[in-house]
Amino acid sequence: MVTKQVKGRSEEADLRRADSLAREIFSDVANKWAFLIIETLGERTLRFSELRNQIEGISHKMLTQNLRMLERNGLVERNVHPTVPPRVEYTLTEPGQGLRATVDGMCDWTHRYFGHIEAARHRFDAWRLTPDA
């Protein structure tokens, strides 16, 4: 997904490409497994099996797919140790830590407005269930 560069407007074209990349990355990471992986890795390095054990309900396939996606986007680093069997560890990169801080901020926002959101949902759902609505 590359935005065409308009002559004389390279800054504008760069911003469009950055916005496009942001949408693409957000689309990739905006799933419950990616958020849980990012949160679980936190400040530490974990092996695949440790991650899988700490993330309740994630399958081997989903963990593998999400770790590959996070690695592709530069958010997770995969380190393979040359042992038999190979020991593979995962850790958040600097950009991954930055995203984690953003996700934590979103969670803080949810906690702050939890009562408001729940009340709004209750009013909305009650209104939708009214026969005259």
Side-chain angles (χ1 to χ4, degrees):
M1 199 184 309
V2 177
T3 305
K4 290 182 183 177
Q5 190 167 348
V6 180
K7 195 173 184 177
R9 296 189 178 171
S10 65
E11 254 182 63
E12 198 174 305
D14 288 344
L15 287 174
R16 284 195 303 264
R17 283 195 305 272
D19 287 347
S20 176
L21 179 60
R23 284 190 297 277
E24 191 177 323
I25 290 171
F26 292 152
S27 175
D28 281 350
V29 300
N31 73 70
K32 72 177 182 177
W33 298 125
F35 281 163
L36 286 171
I37 292 167
I38 290 167
E39 192 59 35
T40 302
L41 283 174
E43 301 286 334
R44 58 199 164 147
T45 298
L46 293 172
R47 294 177 70 175
F48 184 92
S49 59
E50 293 172 320
L51 266 170
R52 188 165 174 212
N53 290 337
Q54 290 189 24
I55 302 174
E56 188 176 326
I58 194 166
S59 68
H60 186 279
K61 179 181 176 181
M62 287 309 297
L63 181 55
T64 299
Q65 286 177 350
N66 277 275
L67 284 169
R68 286 179 182 164
M69 175 271 300
L70 292 168
E71 184 181 6
R72 179 179 180 264
N73 284 309
L75 303 172
V76 167
E77 183 178 281
R78 180 177 181 263
N79 188 9
V80 181
H81 298 276
T83 59
V84 178
R87 190 177 85 220
V88 182
E89 296 176 330
Y90 297 89
T91 189
L92 289 181
T93 61
E94 184 180 338
Q97 289 290 348
L99 180 58
R100 180 175 176 249
T102 301
V103 170
D104 287 347
M106 290 167 50
C107 290
D108 291 344
W109 174 87
T110 305
H111 293 143
R112 181 175 179 184
Y113 293 104
F114 181 80
H116 178 82
I117 294 166
E118 287 291 303
R121 286 180 170 190
H122 179 72
R123 284 191 308 272
F124 182 85
D125 292 344
W127 175 79
R128 298 281 296 162
L129 295 175
T130 306
D132 297 335

